[in-house]
Amino acid sequence: MSENLTLDGLSVALRALRVLAVDFGHLPAPHVDVSTFYPDRLKLSFHDDLSAFEAWREALGVDPDTVVYREQSAGGTRVLKTTADFAGAVLELTGYGDVHVPALAPAEAGAA
């Protein structure tokens, strides 16, 4: 599908991005991905800042129950992901953040 796609073929995702820029310009800037493989999909990702993901999710009115939690990098990175319809596009929000391992208490550290 992507081999003959023109820029106009990305208009749904780009239109959604334009609306987001106008209506939500005060929110943290995401990494933006528009792909010729999925021309009706707009991906916004937030690296090292799950609070930015949450700010966007809340501002867009995306139900928190639709957010999927998982971990990657051998459990070192938290990943939050959800999708929603927005301005005719499939909007995919993904947030990445470090998994904080609590420090061992002195008694626990000696027992190890």
Side-chain angles (χ1 to χ4, degrees):
M1 173 181 224
S2 64
E3 64 187 56
N4 295 321
L5 191 68
T6 64
L7 186 59
D8 189 51
L10 298 173
S11 63
V12 171
L14 294 174
R15 184 178 319 113
L17 180 59
R18 185 178 67 209
V19 171
L20 289 172
V22 170
D23 292 350
F24 301 100
H26 62 284
L27 291 176
H31 171 85
V32 177
D33 184 19
V34 177
S35 170
T36 56
F37 292 108
Y38 302 102
D40 294 341
R41 182 175 296 251
L42 175 62
K43 295 181 180 183
L44 305 180
S45 57
F46 308 90
H47 298 267
D48 300 322
D49 191 359
L50 293 178
S51 63
F53 170 91
E54 181 58 22
W56 275 90
R57 186 209 54 77
E58 189 174 300
L60 292 168
V62 176
D63 185 347
D65 291 337
T66 66
V67 176
V68 175
Y69 172 85
R70 63 185 172 87
E71 294 178 0
Q72 65 184 35
S73 300
T77 302
R78 295 177 189 193
V79 181
L80 300 178
K81 188 172 187 175
T82 190
T83 58
D85 293 327
F86 183 81
V90 175
L91 180 62
E92 182 178 301
L93 299 176
T94 306
Y96 302 93
D98 290 335
V99 174
H100 300 289
V101 179
L104 293 176
E108 294 172 326

